Amino acid sequence: MRILVADKLADEGLEVLKAEQVAFDAKVGLKENELAAAVGSYDALIVRSGAKVTAKVLENPGSLKAIARAGVGVDNIDLDAATAKGILVLNTAEASTLSTAEHALALMFALARKVPQADAHVRGGQWKRNQYQGSQLAGKTLGVVGLGRIGRTVASRALAMEMNVLAYDPFYTSPSALDGRVKLIRDFDEFLSHLDVITFHVPGGDQTRHLLNHDRLFNKCRPNLLVINDARGEVVDEYALAEALKAKKVAGAGIDVYVQEPPPKDHPLFSLENVVLTPHLGASTDEAQTAVSVQACEAIVAYLKRGEIRGAVNAGGIRLDLPPDEAPFAKLASRIGALLAGMSDSGYKTITLRASGQRAPKLMNTLLRLATVELLKPHLDTPVNVINVEHLARGRGIELVQVHEPAPPQGLVGDIVGVRAEGPGGESHRVLGTIYADGLPRVLRIDNFAMDMIPEGNMVLVMNQDQPGVIGTVGTSFGDAQVNIADMVISRDVNKDGTATALMLIKTDSEPPVALLNRLKARPNILRVKALHLPARNA
């Protein structure tokens, strides 16, 4: 295991790697070509905001499995390129939550009490106190845009200061938050009409670009509004804000982030007195910088050593670090996928996972991805894993579907996981399984064939017309090839015309040779023969 540290980290973070006995190289300041040439030799990469992990850097990722960003956001990492290559991207957003929230509050206090201007006034040898009379925040209404970790932290502290707090967050479904003390308003323009102070805590991107624009600044906001932006520069139209401040349509602004960093020297906000400007200091505290370094190193080690995913940006809500009572379902899903891959002769149009019971439905996204990995592996020369499998499936027109069943299929009880793979030509196969009290995966049905079998090791799937002598022929063929049968499960299904089809799942002590499989395929009444290799029972 080797890790490349491409930006300066706090010493405490590097100590984590040393304590875990992980080999790492610290190479700060690598240019794009140098980083591209280096990454393939490492299992993981840790960066801050300096190193730019572009598509070119990830073009030939070699052994690279994960990238950790010590900080909030992943603006310097090409997320699409990483996902396509199956590389997990992590960040440490939680580590700087308190520091960023405190900085937003500091800007709010500085604006309300005109602290920077008063400081410069006194330093200039003057004492005209009446010029710097401020506003009390208690009793004022604060609007929090984005009710994530930072937004909730700001809101809770504002409530303690006896402010009224409203929130706007289109992805927050409840009518209120923080035990009913924060009311959510769905319409942004109506939200603005109630506010004395507004603070932004949302990601960048098209959905949040210029949330506060010229029309809203001049026509929707109260004239006494204080604007705080500690999120992303593009969230507020900086030039419209400067106009509104000059026209006294807005009372003041505290800005820590900018569209261009550093801002151009002729930026219109620089000439205004009713603003407080800081150079992207939201997470810049000793405690936060130590915490992001430590958490980035801990997260990388946890993923490489134990498969735990912490702070994932591109993992789509999957969980691999499952508790003991849930972990066997991950094994079950993978083995169901491997069995289905052995039964399908064509490609896939739709892959559907259905889950019932108490535990399995909570894991559907993870289980669907794990099963799909096994289904796609035999058909792709691109490495497939849980990070890129959805991207690869979508790129090939495969629909991934999750269904939470209120009750198990007829005749079954408990937590049931079922996966169906449908091909574009109408071919369709389904496997159902569960976990017993012993924690081992069991397959209960393959299509209409009922059984109770642990999928493991070397297996041969044989489907045949249910005729006398077929089982004997199969057993003799294995014996002639000196392949010992360790276990066999047989099930039959009666067709509508009264004929029957049988399914044999045969476990062997060694891998069956191709010649044996070909001889079986040539036997009368044999419809399908497929060799499978699954992990061992406790793997």
Side-chain angles (χ1 to χ4, degrees), residues 175-348:
S176 64
L178 275 67
D179 299 323
R181 295 179 296 164
V182 176
K183 180 184 176 183
L184 276 100
I185 296 180
R186 301 297 170 194
D187 182 86
F188 192 70
D189 289 343
E190 180 191 349
F191 171 72
L192 289 175
S193 69
H194 296 283
L195 306 182
D196 300 302
V197 186
I198 186 170
T199 180
F200 292 90
H201 302 288
V202 292
D206 292 339
Q207 289 185 321
T208 58
R209 179 176 170 77
H210 289 184
L211 271 177
L212 203 55
N213 54 29
H214 189 279
D215 176 58
R216 285 171 169 159
L217 285 163
F218 278 83
N219 300 313
K220 308 295 183 183
C221 298
R222 290 183 177 184
N224 63 334
L225 183 69
L226 301 179
V227 177
I228 310 295
N229 189 9
D230 235 325
R232 290 290 184 267
E234 65 265 28
V235 171
V236 175
D237 184 337
E238 296 170 351
Y239 291 87
L241 177 62
E243 286 184 46
L245 287 163
K246 285 181 184 176
K248 300 192 183 306
K249 290 289 185 178
V250 172
I255 307 296
D256 186 51
V257 289
Y258 310 85
V259 173
Q260 179 182 329
E261 295 186 353
K265 294 182 178 179
D266 61 349
H267 198 293
L269 289 175
F270 290 175
S271 61
L272 302 176
E273 289 190 1
N274 50 341
V275 297
V276 177
L277 306 174
T278 54
H280 206 146
L281 297 178
S284 294
T285 63
D286 294 338
E287 293 82 0
Q289 295 311 301
T290 298
V292 296
S293 296
V294 169
Q295 289 189 17
C297 292
E298 289 177 341
I300 281 292
V301 171
Y303 181 63
L304 294 181
K305 283 192 172 184
R306 299 180 292 279
E308 296 179 20
I309 297 179
R310 306 176 184 176
V313 177
N314 67 337
I318 65 168
R319 294 177 56 205
L320 299 180
D321 52 330
L322 298 173
D325 65 324
E326 296 178 355
F329 286 97
K331 186 182 295 186
L332 173 66
S334 292
R335 298 186 189 208
I336 285 177
L339 284 170
L340 276 173
M343 300 178 64
S344 302
D345 293 326
S346 61
Y348 310 112

Side-chain angles (χ1 to χ4, degrees), residues 363-384:
L363 311 171
M364 287 197 297
N365 197 34
T366 300
L367 301 182
L368 178 56
R369 286 198 183 204
L370 288 168
T372 305
V373 165
E374 299 303 322
L375 280 160
L376 295 188
K377 267 183 182 178
H379 303 285
L380 302 178
D381 53 8
T382 303
V384 187

Side-chain angles (χ1 to χ4, degrees), residues 392-406:
L392 293 172
R394 190 166 53 247
R396 286 156 178 79
I398 302 170
E399 183 182 10
L400 302 184
V401 180
Q402 302 174 28
V403 180
H404 180 185
E405 296 283 15

